[in-house]
Amino acid sequence: MTLTNPHNLRIDIDGLMARLMQLGQDGALEGGGVCRLALSDADKAGRDRVTGWMRALGLEVSIDHIGNMIGVRAGQENLAPVMIGSHIDTVATGGLYDGNLGVLAGLEIIAALNAAGVQTRRPIAVAAFTNEEGARFAPDMMGSAVDRGSLEIGAALAAADADGLTVGEELARIGYRGPAEPGHITPHCFFELHVEQGPVLEEAGFEIGAVTGVQGISWMEYVIEGVSNHAGTTPMRLRRDAGHAAAVIAVEARQIAAKLGGDQVATVGVCALDPGLVNVIARRARITVDLRNTDEALLRRAEAMMAEVVRETAAREQVTITGRRLARFEPVAFDPGMIGLVHDIAAADGRKVMRMPSGAGHDAQMFAPHCPTGMVFVPSKGGISHNIREHTDPEQLQAGADVLMQAVLAKAEETEARS
Ligand code: GLV
Ligand code: MN
Ligand code: MN
């Protein structure tokens, strides 16, 4: 396999930065970040922009029933394409890079190939998947999961946001409930370039992460029903306080992570009390728990510990707690050949590269069981992400996008399905 780029192609970093900044205008927040929740008006604007760019680059664009947008550049031969993919939806407090980088670097690779007049043996597909973040509709990685058949389209379309609006309705409203069958393209292999979203590369002084896999993710929502009453007159012994029960669950989630140690993390990202007034005991609370671990057995243990906490808390506080699973993904290991390819290309390019797992979920993990899959990480300044301060320097973006391009070009010349 060729480890050096036969065409000496490099990403046009000015082009990549311009696209990142322009896409960042769709849903721009004051202070610099982006709120482009899946299937919002801002998402529609971003989608229009990205599909416009795909068409301007000569890609054949398809939109499928779940709104995934895939642009294909023809190869010399009608073989399975090398797919580059990520997402353009963001959390409500998103930065410019999470997801967007992977899609737009794919477009810049196409632009570089067009400018150099290079036609690869295999087609190259650039995909932007619907609702990777899961911040508005659960589960996360929704579009890629539907594409790969691990989530049924009907269940995805029926998923509702906090206001009861469904994915199906919102897709139709913004004009992205497309005609293509999800999974209509079976890729030869899959690549995703992403910002690390954590501190590891920066702290170690490395430029590139060759991602070895993604940790397991478990999301639960608990709705706690208690009894609302006066904060001043109700004796403590007579309370059925949904707010207090939610607080216990939040504290215990942290305790579970501390007890298990190692890679276990636990986050309570939502805690909403009803009626939410200073002098009223909450009758209802909604709380989410995000548990992650690279080890499936340990993640199951954390889930069992959480379930026990919920049972005990409901009994002790005399509240009703109803759990609903929002997402569950087992840890995923990427293809050793793809990890080695990313690593060796980065090293041959003179980059300081390390093998590392991903703490965040990614569309790539949906492809890993189906085709050779690899990811390229670039550092995140201060390890900050899902925050408007998310930042990666242009030179670091260039390094990652160049590694991605060389890896894509190497795979695009393969004649047989091997990694
Ligand atoms: C997606 O960004 C996740 O890891 O939650
Ligand atoms: Mn992402
Ligand atoms: Mn994200």
Side-chain angles (χ1 to χ4, degrees):
M1 178 163 295
T2 321
L3 287 187
T4 50
N5 178 343
H7 308 288
N8 276 326
L9 291 180
R10 295 273 165 196
I11 286 291
D12 171 12
I13 187 59
D14 295 337
L16 179 57
M17 293 310 297
R19 287 189 208 272
L20 281 164
M21 296 306 142
Q22 285 170 47
L23 186 52
Q25 288 165 16
D26 300 325
L29 292 170
E30 263 180 53
V34 182
C35 175
R36 200 162 52 243
L37 290 167
L39 315 184
S40 60
D41 290 348
D43 189 24
K44 175 189 165 34
R47 285 166 173 269
D48 290 350
R49 195 186 288 277
V50 166
T51 50
W53 281 333
M54 284 178 170
R55 293 193 175 98
L57 288 164
L59 302 185
E60 187 167 333
V61 178
S62 63
I63 316 287
D64 70 17
H65 304 336
I66 194 68
N68 294 324
M69 308 178 289
I70 306 181
V72 179
R73 184 179 195 264
Q76 292 162 10
E77 297 176 33
N78 191 19
L79 296 166
V82 173
M83 187 176 278
I84 304 163
S86 199
H87 60 99
I88 66 159
D89 67 309
T90 74
V91 296
T93 55
L96 294 179
Y97 305 95
D98 178 357
N100 305 313
L101 173 63
V103 175
L104 301 184
L107 295 188
E108 280 306 322
I109 289 173
I110 303 296
L113 295 176
N114 287 354
V118 173
Q119 193 179 21
T120 51
R121 182 191 297 267
R122 286 179 181 275
I124 297 177
V126 180
F129 296 105
T130 293
N131 184 33
E132 187 272 352
E133 294 290 6
R136 181 178 174 199
F137 302 100
D140 50 350
M141 279 79 77
M142 180 179 275
S144 47
V146 170
D147 181 282
R148 287 300 93 201
S150 54
L151 176 63
E152 203 257 313
I153 178 77
L157 292 172
D161 69 4
D163 298 323
L165 294 167
T166 66
V167 166
E169 288 161 355
E170 286 293 89
L171 269 175
R173 183 184 69 80
I174 66 167
Y176 277 87
R177 193 159 167 177
E181 200 59 47
H184 64 106
I185 295 173
T186 300
H188 172 61
C189 62
F190 185 91
F191 285 107
E192 185 168 0
L193 168 65
H194 209 284
V195 287
E196 180 204 329
Q197 307 183 270
V200 175
L201 285 172
E202 186 179 73
E203 276 179 9
F206 279 69
E207 297 165 283
I208 299 289
V211 183
T212 52
V214 182
Q215 67 180 341
I217 302 175
S218 167
W219 284 2
M220 285 295 289
E221 175 195 70
Y222 297 103
V223 172
I224 306 166
E225 308 274 357
V227 175
S228 195
N229 207 337
H230 195 291
T233 61
T234 315
M236 297 310 287
R237 72 192 153 78
L238 293 182
R239 291 179 186 223
R240 296 172 65 191
D241 184 344
H244 177 68
V248 170
I249 290 175
V251 169
E252 289 294 333
R254 171 65 74 95
Q255 293 299 328
I256 288 169
K259 275 181 208 150
L260 288 179
D263 292 331
Q264 181 65 50
V265 289
T267 306
V268 170
V270 173
C271 182
L273 304 188
D274 178 34
L277 299 169
V278 64
N279 54 358
V280 182
I281 297 165
R283 69 174 157 236
R284 191 171 189 272
R286 188 170 79 87
I287 186 166
T288 59
V289 178
D290 174 322
L291 300 171
R292 304 193 192 202
N293 202 311
T294 49
D295 182 309
E296 173 65 16
L298 290 174
L299 183 55
R300 285 188 191 181
R301 218 157 116 210
E303 290 176 316
M305 289 163 85
M306 196 71 235
E308 187 54 28
V309 163
V310 167
R311 264 193 302 276
E312 281 174 12
T313 306
R316 195 178 54 246
E317 304 300 327
Q318 295 196 62
V319 293
T320 310
I321 306 183
T322 310
R324 183 166 72 99
R325 173 154 300 296
L326 298 180
R328 183 62 164 88
F329 301 106
E330 289 192 8
V332 165
F334 288 151
D335 178 81
M338 296 287 275
I339 302 166
L341 179 67
V342 168
H343 181 279
D344 293 353
I345 283 174
D349 214 19
R351 304 295 179 184
K352 286 190 77 181
V353 53
M354 68 189 286
R355 290 178 165 83
M356 62 184 295
S358 170
H362 295 293
D363 292 307
Q365 75 194 78
M366 294 300 133
F367 283 81
H370 303 280
C371 65
T373 296
M375 286 190 75
V376 182
F377 270 177
V378 288
S380 291
K381 188 159 190 240
I384 290 175
S385 185
H386 285 184
N387 182 315
I388 63 171
R389 284 162 53 220
E390 181 181 85
H391 179 80
T392 302
D393 288 335
E395 310 77 63
Q396 297 173 312
L397 297 174
Q398 165 115 54
D402 282 340
V403 169
L404 173 69
M405 177 157 61
Q406 294 190 40
V408 165
L409 289 177
K411 296 296 286 185
E413 295 313 313
E414 280 183 357
T415 48
E416 285 163 28
R418 63 186 147 82
S419 56

